[in-house]
Amino acid sequence: GALKKAGLEREPVVVTDDGDDEREYLPALRVLLECLSQEASLTQLGRLVAQGTMTFSLANRFKLDYLYTQDHNIRKQKVRGPLVILGLARTGTTFLHGLLAQDTASFRCLRHWELMSPIPDKLPGGDDVKTRVAEAKYGLENFMKLAPNFAAFHPMGVDEPEECVVIFQQECAAVSLGVCLNCPGYYKWLLQQDLGFVLRRHRRVLQHYQAMDDRNTKGPPPEGSRRQFVLKTPQYVFMLPELLKEYPDAQIVWTHRAPSEVIVSYLALATKLAGIVTDDVDPSRIASTHLQVLNSGLAKALKDRENLEKKGVSR
């Protein structure tokens, strides 16, 4: 289904300079599918949401990978170290992301419509922004119908900055999939993995958008004037070593908020999202599961930070 949606007959395979096959998403996809089958208790609507989410994410993955294999200009792009906003969900990361994105002279954010519709139909002759924006708007409106009060928890807009979680979903390695699809087993498994493969492909996606910018402006900007990507998603908290291995020159902003306030707000959001895909919504069970995962994940993050500082990574 994803290949058909992408308009391709077979999956494009990106091979690294070392000759390695980059299809590292497959183990995560298998774990996710197993958890969807065994623990998610999806309703009919929930199954449609899960199928639609994964088909959409993999189709965009295949489109991007195909273009990467065909357009050597993408591979040549040098990505400047990004500014990365991280912090537990509900700590103000979205507000800060949106605020910094207002400085369009300094920062390059990834807009919702860009991430949801990453490939223009008119290559290499131009861009069909209106069509891509309309497609993204249609998808966002449908999501809001499923979760009519979601904007009160997390404001979204088709032209607003969007999280890197959309890219992570293309690797089947996004915490959001565990939360939104009621798969705590997948969530727990994911946070125990080395997620370096997610960031390696993340760089390729940034190369794609940078090449698109150069195409739209008829060439790259003067040396040293390239805008800095400003990125955000709470999942970065749980993958600090992988983040700094892939982007050693990244700048990091770690947001904080009183844990008691964070947990109450986060659990309310997680409960609401679970209610979209399942009728088996037990707030006590959801709280217990997420508290356990957040506790172990944050303990790992603090240990990672301590280890990085010992290696000379400054605050």
Side-chain angles (χ1 to χ4, degrees):
L3 281 173
K4 183 178 180 180
K5 187 175 181 63
L8 299 171
E9 294 183 359
R10 60 178 62 88
E11 180 180 352
V13 178
V14 175
V15 179
T16 67
D17 294 336
D18 298 327
D20 295 328
D21 184 334
E22 280 287 297
R23 288 179 294 182
E24 296 179 272
Y25 71 96
L26 292 172
L29 176 59
R30 294 189 188 100
V31 173
L32 177 60
L33 292 176
E34 182 178 347
C35 290
L36 284 170
S37 173
Q38 295 184 2
E39 69 177 3
S41 301
L42 299 178
T43 60
Q44 181 64 32
L45 174 61
R47 288 191 285 273
L48 291 172
V49 169
Q51 181 182 26
T53 298
M54 297 315 302
T55 299
F56 179 83
S57 296
L58 290 174
N60 276 344
R61 175 199 171 87
F62 298 153
K63 290 178 185 178
L64 286 164
D65 283 357
Y66 176 77
L67 191 59
Y68 188 83
T69 63
Q70 302 298 309
D71 186 348
H72 296 292
N73 185 50
I74 298 175
R75 193 182 290 264
K76 292 188 298 183
Q77 293 290 323
K78 304 295 183 183
V79 176
R80 175 185 173 187
L83 190 153
V84 182
I85 302 168
L86 55 84
L88 290 179
R90 321 307 296 156
T91 60
T93 56
T94 299
F95 176 82
L96 181 58
H97 192 204
L99 180 64
L100 292 177
Q102 301 305 307
D103 183 1
T104 55
S106 303
F107 296 117
R108 167 66 159 100
C109 71
L110 298 173
R111 304 283 175 184
H112 178 85
W113 66 266
E114 290 183 289
L115 284 172
M116 303 308 284
S117 184
I119 306 293
D121 291 333
K122 300 176 182 177
L123 284 175
D127 200 347
D128 52 343
V129 170
K130 289 184 178 179
T131 300
R132 296 165 67 201
V133 170
E135 291 174 352
K137 184 178 180 181
Y138 178 75
L140 186 57
E141 288 173 348
N142 283 338
F143 173 75
M144 289 304 180
K145 290 176 183 177
L146 293 175
N149 298 320
F150 184 78
F153 290 92
H154 182 76
M156 298 178 69
V158 71
D159 199 41
E160 295 300 316
E162 186 54 272
E163 299 190 18
C164 294
V165 68
V166 177
I167 302 173
F168 296 171
Q169 287 181 356
Q170 296 169 11
E171 283 293 286
C172 306
V175 166
S176 60
L177 292 173
V179 176
C180 296
L181 299 179
N182 197 37
C183 290
Y186 163 83
Y187 188 174
K188 294 177 184 178
W189 175 86
L190 186 66
L191 296 186
Q192 296 173 355
Q193 308 307 306
D194 182 331
L195 297 177
F197 72 98
V198 180
L199 274 302
R200 287 191 290 275
R201 187 170 180 283
H202 181 277
R203 178 185 288 275
R204 295 208 305 271
V205 175
L206 294 191
Q207 287 177 303
H208 160 74
Y209 286 108
Q210 196 163 278
M212 290 271 292
D213 289 346
D214 291 353
R215 185 181 298 114
N216 292 334
T217 56
K218 310 300 182 184
E223 186 174 353
S225 64
R226 174 83 69 182
R227 290 184 300 166
Q228 185 180 21
F229 280 105
V230 56
L231 310 172
K232 174 257 179 178
T233 192
Q235 186 171 332
Y236 281 126
V237 169
F238 307 125
M239 46 200 298
L240 273 172
E242 297 98 322
L243 173 64
L244 289 173
K245 181 178 180 180
E246 187 61 37
Y247 299 110
D249 52 348
Q251 296 174 297
I252 294 176
V253 179
W254 189 333
T255 58
H256 298 277
R257 183 183 175 191
S260 58
E261 297 177 4
V262 170
I263 294 302
V264 171
S265 181
Y266 174 80
L267 292 178
L269 177 60
T271 302
K272 181 170 184 60
L273 289 171
I276 297 174
V277 299
T278 181
D279 291 332
D280 184 21
V281 179
D282 180 349
S284 296
R285 177 175 54 80
I286 291 174
S288 177
T289 298
H290 285 283
L291 284 173
Q292 180 184 1
V293 174
L294 286 173
N295 184 57
S296 60
L298 189 55
K300 174 184 179 299
L302 293 173
K303 186 66 176 178
D304 287 341
R305 177 172 173 167
E306 180 183 342
N307 290 337
L308 288 167
E309 289 175 350
K310 288 179 181 179
K311 294 178 181 179
V313 178
S314 60
R315 290 175 181 254

